[in-house]
């Protein structure tokens, strides 16, 4: 009996469990059912949005090509407004480039010319002040040019180291002009004086006839430098070498002043400073031998310019003449017609001594160019006019300062302008 109750209660419990599970399943299904309509509603909304978006997208797509068309039209209009460019050929471009380079070169040249003139005016300052101070005293209280004024002017020119012969030429020319018009004022005297000095300078031969730039350079251009010791000969050679190097010339130096150890050493220092080769031998060697070796080296290494230093001894004129003649003969054997230029260096501050030195050296050799140095430190700049006129040798270079660039090619018009720029 007890067993039967247990079996009955077991099956009864199992049935109850099944019923409970069925109820739970029904409950879940009841909860899931509302989700389906929500999903359906969501799908219908999405399809509705797509339907609404289609015309909008279609409209947007139709606008894109319209914008592209508008942009093209704007760009086309912009291009039409721009200035038309002519297509440049290669030759046009080169010509344009060449023109620009020329303008730049002209500007640099003008600037250098301006700087050169300023340096010249500064270099001649002492000479100018001294001359015009003397001239002012000579014509003080005079209102017309008469014999007294001309006598005073003559004294001023001689004391300014213009030289007696040159002074007489200038005064005679002024006397002729004054005799034609007896009422010339002293204010016109400066104008006449300037014109007469320019006339004298222009009568001189032009150094450009033998300037290195006009040389054919089949052979090197040879310069033999002469002058007494202490006039700035070695310095002038160094500055010349620097100047030619700036002009893209290949330069070589020859130390033919073998009588002074200092001369050889100084020239070596300048060669190192300017960065040019130098040929030298031992102290006491034959100067002509040094010149020969220098020219041989210049030919073999295709140099453009040779500058030969020489001894500056004036105590024995015969020996000087013989020595310079021998150097010239030896050089002529290596390079025909060498030296092409014999440059006499004179110290402008020595005044009348410069005339005596010019006299000695022109008698010893064929001087065809002058370099007047140290003009910046003296009031005796009149020597430039006097020496060149008296010996009929053109001034080619003037030294107006200690800087390496202060050796200038002598320009007659600029010199007179700077001198009378009071």
């Amino acid at each position: 009996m007890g067993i039967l109750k247990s079996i009955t209660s077991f099956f009864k419990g199992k049935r109850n469990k099944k019923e409970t599970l069925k109820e739970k399943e029904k409950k879940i299904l009841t909860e899931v059912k509302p989700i389906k309509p929500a999903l359906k509603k969501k799908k219908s909304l999405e399809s509705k949005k797509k339907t609404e978006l289609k015309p909008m997208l279609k409209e947007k797509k139709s606008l894109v090509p319209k914008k592209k068309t508008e942009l093209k039209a704007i760009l086309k209009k912009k291009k039409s407004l721009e200035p038309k460019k002519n297509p440049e050929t290669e030759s046009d471009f080169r010509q344009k480039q060449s023109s620009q380079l020329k303008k730049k070169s002209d500007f640099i040249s003008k600037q250098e010319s301006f700087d050169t003139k300023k340096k010249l005016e500064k270099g001649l300052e002492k000479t100018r002040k001294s001359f015009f101070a003397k001239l002012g005293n000579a014509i003080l209280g005079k209102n017309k040019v008469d014999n007294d004024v001309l006598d005073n002017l003559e004294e001023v020119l001689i004391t300014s180291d213009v030289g007696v012969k040159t002074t007489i030429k200038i005064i005679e020319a002024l006397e002729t002009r004054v005799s034609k018009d007896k009422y010339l004022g002293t204010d016109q005297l400066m104008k006449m004086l300037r014109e007469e000095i320019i006339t004298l300078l222009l009568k001189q031969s032009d150094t450009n006839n033998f300037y290195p730039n006009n040389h054919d350079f089949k052979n090197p251009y040879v310069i033999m430098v002469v002058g007494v010791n202490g006039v700035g000969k070695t310095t002038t050679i160094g500055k010349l070498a620097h100047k030619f190097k700036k002009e893209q010339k290949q330069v070589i130096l020859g130390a033919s002043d073998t009588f002074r150890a200092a001369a050889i050493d100084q020239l070596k220092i300048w060669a190192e400073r300017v960065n040019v080769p130098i040929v030298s031998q031992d102290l006491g060697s034959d100067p002509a031998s040094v010149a020969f070796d220098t020219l041989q080296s210049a030919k073999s290494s295709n140099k453009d310019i040779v500058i030969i230093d020489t001894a500056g001894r004036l105590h024995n004129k015969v020996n000087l003449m013989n020595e310079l003649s021998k150097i010239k003969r030896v050089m002529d054997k290596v390079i025909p017609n060498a030296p092409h230029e014999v440059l006499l260096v004179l110290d402008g501050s020595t005044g009348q001594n410069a005339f005596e030195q010019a006299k000695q050296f022109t008698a010893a050799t064929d001087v065809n160019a002058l370099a007047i140095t140290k003009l910046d430190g003296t009031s005796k700049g009149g020597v430039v006019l006097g020496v060149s006129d008296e010996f009929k040798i053109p001034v080619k270079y003037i030294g107006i300062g200690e800087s390496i660039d202060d050796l200038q090619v002598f320009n007659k018009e600029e010199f007179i302008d700077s001198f009378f720029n009071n």
Side-chain angles (χ1 to χ4, degrees), residues 261-273:
I264 299 170
D265 293 339
Q266 285 168 11
L267 201 62
K268 282 181 177 178
I269 290 167
W270 269 106
E272 189 177 340
R273 183 180 175 185

Side-chain angles (χ1 to χ4, degrees), residues 26-63:
K26 277 180 185 179
K27 195 177 180 181
I28 288 164
L29 287 170
T30 309
E31 288 174 359
V32 170
K33 273 179 185 178
I35 294 170
K36 284 183 180 179
L39 287 169
K40 279 182 182 179
K41 194 175 181 182
K42 189 180 178 184
K43 282 180 181 180
S44 65
L45 282 168
E46 283 177 357
S47 63
K48 190 179 180 182
K49 277 183 182 179
K50 281 181 181 179
T51 310
E52 287 173 358
L53 282 169
K54 272 181 183 179
M56 287 171 71
L57 288 168
K58 198 173 183 182
E59 190 179 348
K60 193 177 178 181
K61 281 180 181 178
S62 67
L63 287 170

Side-chain angles (χ1 to χ4, degrees), residues 224 226 324-325 328 339-344 360-369 393:
M224 184 170 78
V226 298
L324 294 176
S325 296
K328 286 179 73 175
H340 306 98
E341 184 178 322
V342 179
L343 181 68
L344 172 60
Q360 296 285 343
F361 276 96
T362 51
T365 189
D366 299 321
V367 176
N368 59 3
I393 302 168

Side-chain angles (χ1 to χ4, degrees), residues 199-359:
T199 303
L200 279 177
L201 285 172
L202 291 176
K203 282 179 182 178
Q204 295 173 16
S205 59
D206 197 345
T207 54
N208 288 329
N209 293 335
F210 56 90
Y211 190 65
N213 285 342
N214 290 7
H215 189 62
D216 59 10
F217 289 108
K218 290 176 183 175
N219 282 311
Y221 183 86
V222 183
I223 304 168
M224 184 170 78
V225 182
V226 298
V228 299
N229 300 329
V231 296
K233 188 156 49 82
T234 309
T235 302
T236 299
I237 291 170
K239 290 180 178 181
L240 272 178
H242 170 71
K243 182 183 178 303
F244 291 136
K245 266 205 80 176
K246 279 176 71 178
E247 294 172 5
Q248 309 301 316
K249 299 288 189 294
Q250 296 292 316
V251 185
I252 188 169
L253 306 182
S256 284
D257 184 358
T258 58
F259 295 95
R260 289 189 311 129
I264 299 170
D265 293 339
Q266 285 168 11
L267 201 62
K268 282 181 177 178
I269 290 167
W270 269 106
E272 189 177 340
R273 183 180 175 185
V274 183
N275 193 25
V276 295
I278 182 171
V279 175
S280 63
Q281 291 182 12
D282 295 333
L283 186 67
S285 300
D286 181 11
S289 174
V290 178
F292 179 85
D293 289 349
T294 307
L295 266 63
Q296 287 279 35
S297 178
K299 279 189 78 174
S300 61
S301 56
N302 295 317
K303 292 290 185 280
D304 299 315
I305 294 171
V306 183
I307 308 175
I308 302 289
D309 187 18
T310 59
R313 301 170 302 151
L314 276 178
H315 59 273
N316 191 322
K317 185 178 171 183
V318 175
N319 284 351
L320 176 68
M321 288 178 70
N322 291 339
E323 184 184 302
L324 294 176
S325 296
K326 185 182 177 183
I327 292 171
K328 286 179 73 175
R329 284 197 309 272
V330 167
M331 288 197 289
D332 185 54
K333 288 177 182 177
V334 184
I335 297 172
N337 301 316
H340 306 98
E341 184 178 322
V342 179
L343 181 68
L344 172 60
V345 181
L346 298 171
D347 182 348
S349 65
T350 59
Q352 289 302 305
N353 283 339
F355 284 83
E356 184 56 33
Q357 291 168 25
K359 186 179 177 182

